[in-house]
Amino acid sequence: MALSPETRIQLFQMQAAIRTAEEAIVRHYHEQEMRCPVHLCIGQEAVSAGACAAVLRSDYAISHHRSHGHYLGKGGNLNAMMAEIYGKATGCSGGKGGSMHLIDLDAGFLGAAPIVGSTIPIGLGAAFSAHLKKEDRVTLVFLGDGAMESGVVHESFNFAVLKKLPVVFVCENNLYSVNSPMHVRQSHVRRLVDIATGHGLPAADGDGNDAEAVYRLTKDATDRARRGDGPSFLEFSTYRWREHCGQNFDHPAGFRDEQEVVSWMERDPISIHRHALIDEKIAHPDELDRIYAAQEALAASAIEFAINSPFPDPNTAADHIYA
Amino acid sequence: MALSPETRIQLFQMQAAIRTAEEAIVRHYHEQEMRCPVHLCIGQEAVSAGACAAVLRSDYAISHHRSHGHYLGKGGNLNAMMAEIYGKATGCSGGKGGSMHLIDLDAGFLGAAPIVGSTIPIGLGAAFSAHLKKEDRVTLVFLGDGAMESGVVHESFNFAVLKKLPVVFVCENNLYSVNSPMHVRQSHVRRLVDIATGHGLPAADGDGNDAEAVYRLTKDATDRARRGDGPSFLEFSTYRWREHCGQNFDHPAGFRDEQEVVSWMERDPISIHRHALIDEKIAHPDELDRIYAAQEALAASAIEFAINSPFPDPNTAADHIYA
Amino acid sequence: MNRQISYAEALCEAQRQTLDADDQVIVIGLGVPDPKGIFNSTSGLQEEFGPDRVMDMPLSENAMTGVVIGAAMTGLRPVMTHQRVDFAMTAMEQIINQAAKWHYMFNGQHKVPIVVRMVVGRGWGQGPQHSQSLQSLFAHIPGLKVIMPTSAHDAKGMLISAIEDDNPVISLEHRWLYGIKDFVPEEPFRVPLGKARVMREGTDVTIVSLSYMTLEALSAAETLETRGVNAEVVDLRSLRPLDEQTILDSIKKTGRLIVADTTNKMYGASAEIAALATEKAFSSLRGAPVRIGSPEHPAPTSPALADQYYPRAPHIAAAVLEMLELPVDGLRFDPPEGRRLDQPNASFTGPF
Amino acid sequence: MNRQISYAEALCEAQRQTLDADDQVIVIGLGVPDPKGIFNSTSGLQEEFGPDRVMDMPLSENAMTGVVIGAAMTGLRPVMTHQRVDFAMTAMEQIINQAAKWHYMFNGQHKVPIVVRMVVGRGWGQGPQHSQSLQSLFAHIPGLKVIMPTSAHDAKGMLISAIEDDNPVISLEHRWLYGIKDFVPEEPFRVPLGKARVMREGTDVTIVSLSYMTLEALSAAETLETRGVNAEVVDLRSLRPLDEQTILDSIKKTGRLIVADTTNKMYGASAEIAALATEKAFSSLRGAPVRIGSPEHPAPTSPALADQYYPRAPHIAAAVLEMLELPVDGLRFDPPEGRRLDQPNASFTGPF
Ligand SMILES: Cc1ncc(C[n+]2csc(CCOP(=O)(O)OP(=O)(O)O)c2C)c(N)n1
Ligand SMILES: Cc1ncc(C[n+]2csc(CCOP(=O)(O)OP(=O)(O)O)c2C)c(N)n1
Ligand SMILES: [Mg+2]
Ligand SMILES: [Mg+2]
């Protein structure tokens, strides 16, 4: 499937949007005004950009603790995200949630929650309701390699296959669960795609640092779902550059092998994509630089928006306990 | 692997022991003196007999709600089982447990508990401790097709493979979970062995109504475990004749298709095995009849033992809350 | 209005009428279409509404709870059933962390209109893992509503309210209630969640009871009447929201409180009722509130052990008499003729 | 005996010494060998005892709880850690139905000597799913022991007791305690489970407090002292077994009870303490017991909302003054200079 130049440039733009937003958080986090844990996805932008570009705004997506990229990829409001991280009234959850609870229902981003594995069946439930209501709507469920160890993923795969639900499980395998490498958690004889196929769930894997590859695999999977052919599982290998939670690099502190980190940083999804667009003459370097700079400006202005927004009134803390 | 005549006759004897014990329960259950739920395994005896014959008394086994066969197969005390079902002080759990909580530590039968799926990791824990302590000890974990839907089985498979634990998961696929047939619970494109292999867990399936086939597959698996080659998964297809819980047949009440029930009853594991032993001149029909009759007598005397045993003193109800 | 139906029939009727009234209602759970249909409380629903609206499910309580949460957030109104509250322990993460919190933590943007029915109970050798009454685990969690209807009338009216409610509602149903009949209107009606019910007026002592224990309390009240003691029986019905007013009003009238729960006392629901009473009606209390519950150990299986485990009407009556410093002799602790203590009635013959 | 170490170091030392003394002890949990080692409470243990005795695990809390139960029944003494109690909700089935019951339901034939450490806490934007204090869910279950050590001294002594105990022990540790130092003997020692500790003697009011709230209670007691009120502070330490005697003795002395829990009140641990007091010391009470806890909704994330969520020393002091009908003015509700309310101390800078 050949991608149109517009789509390819959009993929670049979205990756830049995610990267610049995350980098803006990095720059400001030490100020201690974003007073909640943040799980940055720098290095993994291609998955968010590629997968979300393959679906419609009316489709659903759901995520976990590391959700900034998925939220933005799906079209979530940048200002509302930053304001949420700053705990402001203008935040997408009015300050009640913070970085781990992003939501933008207008963009079909159903939400995010940090108990690993738990949003998988909830996303599946959205697909189930679309299926029962015969809506033309696909759900993307984002998960990590760590979540593949949770029992609920297995239960969810079975139900998705049983009911042929319009859902695509998008697994970002970044080799770590917090600071625990794969080999202390999963046997090397176990491949993530095999677990899916064991359940009768069609599965494929791809390069998670190649937004276009992600896009193509996700498009195939969502096309199948829309045709009524049921769920799929996609595994994308990628890598998180920064520490699990927070704004720092962790290899200087000895948490990960420096060589490993460096080798993945050399495979920066954004510069790889940039070079491809330039080499294939899809875009001029200046155009890409302009796009990047524009996203940088948006990120900066989102920070400003957040900082200038009011805190929620303490008296609203007890609002919305019950509907 | 050729089985010795002694082993083959032992397999017959054990199946007879299980069948006659269950039939004795059937005969007496309506008297309303066994005041606890019973999940009979009539029709499935070959799995219990075959799998348990392949391990040593010092090996472990653990089971679930339908555990009578596993308990007896592993060498559990028949009188103590019946007394437990009658709620007597001489029961294997002193009356505290009932049919769903059989135990015989002398026989390596670690216990049984009826929350489906939950004993799987507990059995795995026993294998883990044998592994850490470098004991030569294999654990059999019995589970049903329904348990394969629970998340905990997937988590357990991963850990078993990760640590190469000496455990054999013995799955009896009897096509039903209570009254729910497979197709409302699992997709037909999902095979139980594939789920196991998806986890990197060596798997095989076999005829669960053929005790010798069960024995051979389990022997292979336990040999591998003893060699340090890790866990295995075995699926045996078989069928439960009676209702899920209780002593009646359920097809007359329309719970299952009469034809399906009848066709499985025609494949009675005990009479198949009996005919094989006779045809291959391993045993004379009279000898087998004597064996069967002897088991019948033991079952009857176990019932008598149970009936004649005293109830536990009500004042002991609060014993053993804490160790 | 003088039609009597059983608790199970009342629950079934509530589901039938809400399924009928609202396309978004679905009913799901292990064994829901089973011919025995969750103690007959879902019988016939699949035949009537089809397998897309009334369905069985895989033995995956955890994921399936997530599935109904996600379905509820996107427009459906799922009613999920667990045949035992014990099984629902596998789904605590979804219930406590997710269902209870998505409305609040997203600042009201999501609603989670699910009902999770769970069976509690006792008797007939259910033993340690099939007869727990874990209501206090749910009642502690803000964001959940937790109910325990006692009568067939309330079972219907509260289940309709629960299904129509936009919040996650946990409904705990006692197995010994399913066969008990009551006057239940045929047309749909609502009993509000969060309201206790004065089942019997009295002036000498307030007995706040939960679920099946309300029947024991009423029977105790009759015994007490013969001894000149006038007991008020308040059926709690809802644990969260809690109807403080009805409880406090009653205590202010009687000055004495007994709380009868279906399970052990420590850190249980009965502690909350007792604490509430002393916190907010201390000056009305003429003596220490007393809790009645099972001992602090798991339920044993053998009837020889389990018979003593569950307090019954005579125990409640005895507690009241003691509280009033009246003689406690001559109470009848034996079961009625032809019945044993591990059956709700003589026609109950197990096996579950 | 005048060595001061932190709560985290004390926990680590308890594990080191039990690992050393008994080959059957193992330590397992997500991130146990992580350089940050569960808020430094497991740092260095893997290096010292090797990966067969101190280990990470898959993100499979439910199965891994079963695994440690099975391992414990067959001779090991596993210590398992969850970085948040919220995560342990996935393992409730194993904890409530299995760990708590195997000893009892098999008539004493199995022992389940496991310790499950769980982190509770507050602050710094942890929000609704990372800062719950769910102790009452465990404390309700017979068969479990449930502890909440407050001081570094007790953290060490109680963890050693817990590891040596033949029963499943749930230990809830408050995140804000890890850095706090106390005098802790170097040699192994035991603090018995099931004993409360009078942290401060007083005559006017009894404050029973849980975990971190004990520090707030002690600080409130100091404030109260300046106003002539003499508060006794009882650190509960163990929820099950519950040290009724110490609590009742104190109430009998003071006639007044305040219970300060780390979480919401309804159906919480504070209800049990209040109910116990009225049930067993009614005649000693000079006024209604009062519970102090967070409001009945999930913890919001923004400091603007969360700052009001957690009661602190001034709130406890105010409650005492009100109870004694003394003027409640002039209490200092602001945090100390250089600190915000979502940090335990100025050096705490997140992110968790
Ligand atoms: C049930 C549960 N257990 C543990 C945690 C702690 N935790 C938070 S994120 C995380 C790592 C998850 O790894 P993965 O799914 O690969 O996502 P990644 O962080 O790599 O994006 C863990 C263990 C949690 N949030 N929930
Ligand atoms: C977690 C849980 N959910 C539901 C049940 C109710 N239940 C008891 S046995 C059973 C069927 C299990 O089927 P399977 O594992 O195939 O075993 P079988 O009864 O066929 O031997 C079910 C659903 C339970 N005991 N535990
Ligand atoms: Mg990862
Ligand atoms: Mg089955």
Side-chain angles (χ1 to χ4, degrees):
Chain A
M1 175 181 28
L3 302 191
S4 72
E6 296 73 42
T7 303
R8 300 185 68 180
I9 290 176
Q10 268 167 28
L11 286 175
F12 178 82
Q13 177 172 21
M14 183 50 75
Q15 291 183 85
I18 299 170
R19 171 72 55 90
T20 55
E22 297 290 66
E23 291 289 359
I25 295 171
V26 167
R27 275 195 306 281
H28 291 277
Y29 198 65
H30 75 275
E31 294 164 5
Q32 299 268 310
E33 295 302 328
M34 306 186 202
R35 300 179 81 81
C36 63
V38 291
H39 300 82
L40 304 179
C41 68
I42 298 172
Q44 306 186 196
E45 298 88 347
V47 179
S48 294
C52 294
V55 300
L56 306 173
R57 192 168 170 89
S58 57
D59 290 328
Y60 289 142
I62 197 164
S63 177
H64 46 81
H65 56 288
R66 196 176 309 286
S67 74
H68 299 179
H70 310 140
Y71 168 95
L72 293 172
K74 192 65 182 65
N77 183 298
L78 173 63
N79 283 359
M81 169 178 128
M82 288 298 187
E84 187 60 33
I85 298 174
Y86 273 88
K88 296 302 180 74
T90 52
C92 58
S93 296
K96 292 228 172 79
S99 158
M100 302 194 290
H101 298 290
L102 300 184
I103 183 173
D104 190 333
L105 292 181
D106 285 341
F109 190 78
L110 289 176
I115 310 286
V116 175
S118 296
T119 50
I120 298 170
I122 298 177
L124 187 61
F128 185 46
S129 100
H131 170 76
L132 288 177
K133 293 191 261 175
K134 303 198 183 4
E135 291 173 356
D136 173 22
R137 207 196 288 271
V138 171
T139 300
L140 297 183
V141 173
F142 287 99
L143 65 153
D145 50 289
M148 288 296 288
E149 294 149 23
S150 71
V152 77
V153 79
H154 161 104
E155 298 183 348
S156 299
F157 287 175
N158 178 45
F159 191 68
V161 173
L162 175 68
K163 298 284 183 186
K164 275 197 155 192
L165 298 181
V167 61
V168 181
F169 300 100
V170 180
C171 179
E172 289 173 89
N173 185 346
N174 64 5
L175 304 177
Y176 287 88
S177 170
V178 191
N179 300 317
S180 307
M182 267 292 187
H183 69 88
V184 304
R185 307 179 280 122
Q186 299 180 31
S187 163
H188 65 279
V189 301
R190 165 178 144 136
R191 294 173 59 231
L192 299 183
V193 286
D194 291 343
I195 299 171
T197 45
H199 285 280
L201 179 59
D205 53 7
D207 180 354
N209 281 16
D210 177 348
E212 300 192 3
V214 173
Y215 175 90
R216 272 190 294 265
L217 282 172
T218 313
K219 191 75 173 58
D220 286 352
T222 53
D223 285 350
R224 290 189 47 256
R226 273 187 231 287
R227 281 198 308 270
D229 290 343
S232 319
F233 174 84
L234 303 174
E235 174 187 356
F236 295 111
S237 44
T238 181
Y239 200 75
R240 151 173 72 74
W241 289 10
R242 303 261 168 174
E243 61 190 341
H244 168 70
C245 179
Q247 86 280 33
N248 297 311
F249 290 107
D250 58 7
H251 55 282
F255 283 73
R256 289 188 287 184
D257 178 53
E258 162 117 34
Q259 249 332 96
E260 181 183 282
V261 179
V262 168
S263 77
W264 278 95
M265 288 174 69
E266 282 164 1
R267 299 188 43 229
D268 176 9
I270 300 187
S271 62
I272 289 174
H273 196 233
R274 183 175 190 279
H275 285 300
L277 295 180
I278 295 168
D279 290 353
E280 298 176 37
K281 306 232 183 307
I282 303 298
H284 191 276
D286 292 350
E287 184 189 350
L288 297 179
D289 290 346
R290 268 196 308 275
I291 289 175
Y292 197 92
Q295 294 302 331
E296 227 160 16
L298 287 174
S301 102
I303 295 270
E304 209 159 312
F305 170 81
I307 290 173
N308 293 331
S309 288
F311 278 111
D313 178 347
N315 295 323
T316 63
D319 290 355
H320 304 301
I321 306 177
Y322 290 101
Chain B
M1 176 181 27
L3 302 192
S4 72
E6 295 73 42
T7 303
R8 300 184 68 180
I9 289 176
Q10 266 167 29
L11 287 174
F12 178 83
Q13 177 172 21
M14 183 50 75
Q15 291 182 86
I18 299 170
R19 171 72 52 92
T20 55
E22 297 291 65
E23 291 288 359
I25 295 171
V26 167
R27 275 196 305 282
H28 290 275
Y29 199 64
H30 76 276
E31 294 164 5
Q32 299 269 310
E33 295 302 328
M34 305 185 201
R35 298 178 81 81
C36 64
V38 291
H39 301 82
L40 305 179
C41 68
I42 298 172
Q44 306 186 195
E45 297 88 348
V47 179
S48 294
C52 293
V55 299
L56 307 173
R57 194 169 169 89
S58 58
D59 289 327
Y60 290 142
I62 197 165
S63 177
H64 46 81
H65 56 289
R66 195 177 309 286
S67 74
H68 300 179
H70 310 140
Y71 169 94
L72 292 172
K74 192 66 182 64
N77 183 297
L78 173 64
N79 284 358
M81 169 178 129
M82 287 299 186
E84 187 60 34
I85 298 174
Y86 273 88
K88 296 301 178 75
T90 51
C92 57
S93 295
K96 291 228 173 79
S99 159
M100 302 194 291
H101 299 290
L102 301 183
I103 182 173
D104 190 332
L105 292 181
D106 284 341
F109 189 79
L110 289 176
I115 310 287
V116 175
S118 296
T119 49
I120 299 170
I122 297 176
L124 186 62
F128 185 45
S129 100
H131 170 77
L132 288 178
K133 292 191 263 175
K134 304 199 183 2
E135 292 173 356
D136 173 22
R137 208 197 288 271
V138 171
T139 300
L140 297 183
V141 173
F142 287 99
L143 65 153
D145 50 288
M148 288 296 288
E149 294 149 23
S150 72
V152 77
V153 80
H154 161 104
E155 298 183 348
S156 299
F157 288 174
N158 178 45
F159 191 68
V161 174
L162 175 67
K163 299 282 181 187
K164 274 197 157 192
L165 298 182
V167 61
V168 181
F169 299 100
V170 180
C171 179
E172 288 173 90
N173 185 346
N174 64 5
L175 304 176
Y176 286 88
S177 170
V178 191
N179 300 316
S180 308
M182 267 291 187
H183 70 88
V184 304
R185 308 179 280 123
Q186 299 181 31
S187 164
H188 65 279
V189 302
R190 164 177 145 136
R191 294 175 58 232
L192 299 183
V193 286
D194 290 343
I195 299 171
T197 45
H199 284 279
L201 179 59
D205 52 7
D207 180 354
N209 281 16
D210 176 348
E212 301 192 3
V214 173
Y215 175 89
R216 271 190 294 265
L217 283 172
T218 313
K219 191 74 174 57
D220 285 352
T222 53
D223 285 350
R224 291 188 47 256
R226 274 187 230 288
R227 282 199 308 270
D229 289 343
S232 320
F233 174 84
L234 303 175
E235 174 187 356
F236 295 112
S237 44
T238 182
Y239 200 75
R240 149 173 73 73
W241 290 9
R242 302 260 167 174
E243 61 189 341
H244 167 70
C245 178
Q247 86 279 34
N248 297 311
F249 290 106
D250 58 5
H251 54 282
F255 284 72
R256 288 188 288 184
D257 178 54
E258 161 116 34
Q259 249 333 95
E260 181 183 282
V261 179
V262 168
S263 77
W264 277 95
M265 289 173 69
E266 283 164 1
R267 297 189 44 229
D268 176 9
I270 300 187
S271 62
I272 289 173
H273 196 234
R274 183 175 191 281
H275 285 300
L277 295 180
I278 295 168
D279 290 354
E280 298 175 38
K281 307 232 183 308
I282 304 296
H284 191 276
D286 292 349
E287 184 189 351
L288 298 179
D289 290 345
R290 267 196 309 275
I291 290 175
Y292 197 92
Q295 295 304 330
E296 228 160 15
L298 288 174
S301 102
I303 295 270
E304 212 159 310
F305 170 81
I307 290 173
N308 293 331
S309 288
F311 278 110
D313 177 347
N315 295 324
T316 63
D319 289 355
H320 303 302
I321 306 177
Y322 291 101
Chain C
M1 182 46 208
N2 49 13
R3 181 191 61 146
Q4 288 205 36
I5 59 173
S6 73
Y7 191 85
E9 288 163 339
L11 289 168
C12 202
E13 190 165 278
Q15 291 169 90
R16 183 177 307 110
Q17 291 177 344
T18 44
L19 279 160
D20 206 43
D22 183 349
D23 275 357
Q24 305 309 318
V25 174
I26 63 169
V27 173
I28 185 167
L30 283 177
V32 157
D34 189 312
K36 287 181 188 161
I38 320 287
F39 306 100
N40 296 316
S41 69
T42 57
S43 307
L45 296 178
Q46 191 179 54
E47 289 73 3
E48 195 169 340
F49 297 96
D52 270 1
R53 299 199 52 209
V54 178
M55 67 195 97
D56 212 320
M57 67 177 206
L59 201 157
S60 308
E61 285 89 351
N62 188 18
M64 293 310 302
T65 305
V67 165
V68 299
I69 293 170
M73 282 168 12
T74 53
L76 297 186
R77 296 194 163 271
V79 181
M80 176 173 233
T81 312
H82 299 295
Q83 292 155 326
R84 295 281 183 291
V85 69
D86 317 67
F87 308 161
M89 291 301 98
T90 55
M92 286 306 261
E93 196 290 312
Q94 287 291 335
I95 295 171
I96 291 182
N97 292 334
Q98 313 302 336
K101 297 186 174 52
W102 279 60
H103 182 67
Y104 181 82
M105 79 191 178
F106 292 112
N107 210 27
Q109 292 172 87
H110 276 302
K111 290 174 187 161
V112 186
I114 62 171
V115 179
V116 188
R117 297 176 48 208
M118 301 178 180
V119 179
V120 301
R122 80 193 216 195
W124 232 88
Q126 298 294 306
Q129 296 186 335
H130 273 55
S131 59
Q132 291 172 88
S133 269
L134 297 166
Q135 48 269 20
S136 73
L137 273 52
F138 303 101
H140 181 49
I141 308 297
L144 297 179
K145 296 191 176 181
V146 182
I147 61 174
M148 292 185 94
T150 303
S151 68
H153 174 276
D154 290 347
K156 176 172 174 181
M158 292 179 82
L159 183 53
I160 291 179
S161 293
I163 295 172
E164 292 178 351
D165 197 288
D166 275 338
N167 300 286
V169 180
I170 308 294
S171 175
L172 296 125
E173 303 162 6
H174 195 289
R175 228 166 52 243
W176 282 18
L177 295 171
Y178 286 108
I180 298 181
K181 296 194 174 196
D182 186 21
F183 293 102
V184 181
E186 276 181 57
E187 67 280 6
F189 66 95
R190 283 126 201 111
V191 170
L193 310 183
K195 289 270 167 257
R197 177 170 165 178
V198 179
M199 301 289 280
R200 186 185 199 284
E201 304 217 2
T203 47
D204 298 331
V205 60
T206 297
I207 307 175
V208 174
S209 52
L210 281 74
S211 184
Y212 186 79
M213 288 306 280
T214 298
L215 305 190
E216 300 283 354
L218 287 169
S219 147
E222 277 175 37
T223 305
L224 290 167
E225 175 123 41
T226 66
R227 300 182 182 217
V229 177
N230 206 337
E232 176 142 316
V233 176
V234 178
D235 181 16
L236 192 64
R237 299 200 297 192
S238 286
L239 284 80
R240 183 181 284 266
L242 178 62
D243 184 356
E244 300 193 354
Q245 202 54 53
T246 300
I247 298 168
L248 296 175
D249 285 351
S250 180
I251 294 170
K252 279 174 192 154
K253 181 168 65 173
T254 64
R256 292 193 177 82
L257 174 66
I258 299 254
V259 191
D261 196 359
T262 56
T263 187
N264 61 311
K265 290 176 264 188
M266 273 180 82
Y267 303 96
S270 60
E272 176 60 34
I273 310 304
L276 167 74
T278 44
E279 228 168 29
K280 304 209 172 157
F282 189 75
S283 57
S284 308
L285 284 171
R286 289 194 271 164
V290 168
R291 291 178 282 169
I292 293 192
S294 51
E296 298 294 330
H297 59 75
T301 298
S302 169
L305 303 172
D307 280 356
Q308 314 302 316
Y309 186 73
Y310 295 102
R312 291 167 291 110
H315 304 93
I316 299 174
V320 170
L321 293 171
E322 257 175 53
M323 184 180 267
L324 295 166
E325 293 174 27
L326 293 171
V328 187
D329 52 341
L331 290 170
R332 189 192 151 84
F333 283 86
D334 303 336
E337 197 64 47
R339 205 193 107 192
R340 295 219 217 150
L341 284 174
D342 60 354
Q343 319 168 265
N345 54 63
S347 70
F348 183 97
T349 58
F352 42 73
Chain D
M1 181 49 204
N2 49 13
R3 180 191 62 146
Q4 288 205 33
I5 60 173
S6 73
Y7 190 87
E9 287 163 340
L11 290 168
C12 202
E13 190 165 277
Q15 291 169 91
R16 184 177 307 110
Q17 292 177 343
T18 43
L19 278 160
D20 207 42
D22 183 349
D23 275 357
Q24 306 308 318
V25 175
I26 62 169
V27 173
I28 184 167
L30 283 177
V32 157
D34 188 313
K36 288 181 189 163
I38 319 287
F39 305 101
N40 296 316
S41 69
T42 56
S43 307
L45 296 178
Q46 191 178 54
E47 289 75 1
E48 196 169 338
F49 296 95
D52 270 1
R53 299 197 53 209
V54 178
M55 66 195 98
D56 211 322
M57 66 178 208
L59 201 157
S60 308
E61 285 88 350
N62 188 18
M64 292 311 302
T65 305
V67 166
V68 298
I69 293 170
M73 281 168 12
T74 52
L76 298 186
R77 296 194 164 271
V79 182
M80 176 173 232
T81 313
H82 298 294
Q83 293 155 326
R84 295 280 183 290
V85 69
D86 317 67
F87 307 161
M89 291 302 98
T90 55
M92 286 305 262
E93 196 288 313
Q94 287 291 337
I95 295 172
I96 290 182
N97 292 333
Q98 313 302 336
K101 297 186 174 52
W102 278 61
H103 182 67
Y104 180 82
M105 79 191 178
F106 292 112
N107 211 26
Q109 293 172 86
H110 276 301
K111 291 175 185 162
V112 187
I114 61 172
V115 178
V116 189
R117 297 175 49 207
M118 302 179 180
V119 179
V120 301
R122 80 192 217 196
W124 231 88
Q126 298 293 307
Q129 296 186 334
H130 273 55
S131 59
Q132 292 172 89
S133 269
L134 297 167
Q135 49 269 21
S136 73
L137 273 52
F138 303 101
H140 181 49
I141 308 297
L144 298 179
K145 296 191 175 181
V146 182
I147 61 173
M148 292 184 95
T150 303
S151 67
H153 175 276
D154 290 346
K156 177 173 173 182
M158 293 178 81
L159 184 53
I160 290 180
S161 293
I163 294 171
E164 292 178 351
D165 196 288
D166 275 339
N167 300 285
V169 181
I170 308 293
S171 175
L172 295 125
E173 304 163 5
H174 196 288
R175 230 166 51 243
W176 282 18
L177 296 172
Y178 286 109
I180 298 181
K181 297 195 173 193
D182 187 19
F183 293 100
V184 180
E186 277 181 56
E187 67 279 7
F189 66 95
R190 283 125 200 111
V191 170
L193 310 184
K195 289 270 167 259
R197 176 171 166 178
V198 179
M199 301 289 280
R200 185 186 200 283
E201 305 217 2
T203 48
D204 299 331
V205 61
T206 298
I207 307 176
V208 174
S209 52
L210 281 73
S211 184
Y212 188 79
M213 288 307 280
T214 299
L215 305 190
E216 300 283 354
L218 288 169
S219 147
E222 277 174 38
T223 305
L224 289 166
E225 175 122 42
T226 66
R227 300 182 181 216
V229 177
N230 207 337
E232 177 142 316
V233 177
V234 178
D235 182 16
L236 192 64
R237 300 199 298 190
S238 285
L239 283 80
R240 184 182 282 266
L242 179 60
D243 183 356
E244 300 193 355
Q245 202 53 55
T246 300
I247 298 169
L248 296 175
D249 285 349
S250 180
I251 294 170
K252 280 175 191 155
K253 180 167 66 172
T254 64
R256 293 194 177 82
L257 173 66
I258 299 254
V259 190
D261 196 359
T262 56
T263 188
N264 60 310
K265 289 176 267 188
M266 273 179 82
Y267 304 95
S270 60
E272 176 60 35
I273 310 304
L276 167 73
T278 45
E279 229 167 30
K280 304 208 171 157
F282 190 74
S283 57
S284 309
L285 284 171
R286 290 195 270 165
V290 167
R291 291 178 283 168
I292 293 192
S294 51
E296 298 295 329
H297 59 76
T301 299
S302 170
L305 302 171
D307 280 356
Q308 314 302 317
Y309 185 74
Y310 294 101
R312 291 168 289 112
H315 303 92
I316 298 174
V320 170
L321 293 171
E322 257 175 52
M323 185 180 268
L324 295 166
E325 292 175 28
L326 293 170
V328 188
D329 52 341
L331 290 170
R332 190 192 149 85
F333 283 86
D334 304 336
E337 197 66 46
R339 204 194 109 193
R340 295 219 216 152
L341 285 174
D342 58 355
Q343 317 167 268
N345 55 62
S347 71
F348 182 98
T349 59
F352 41 73

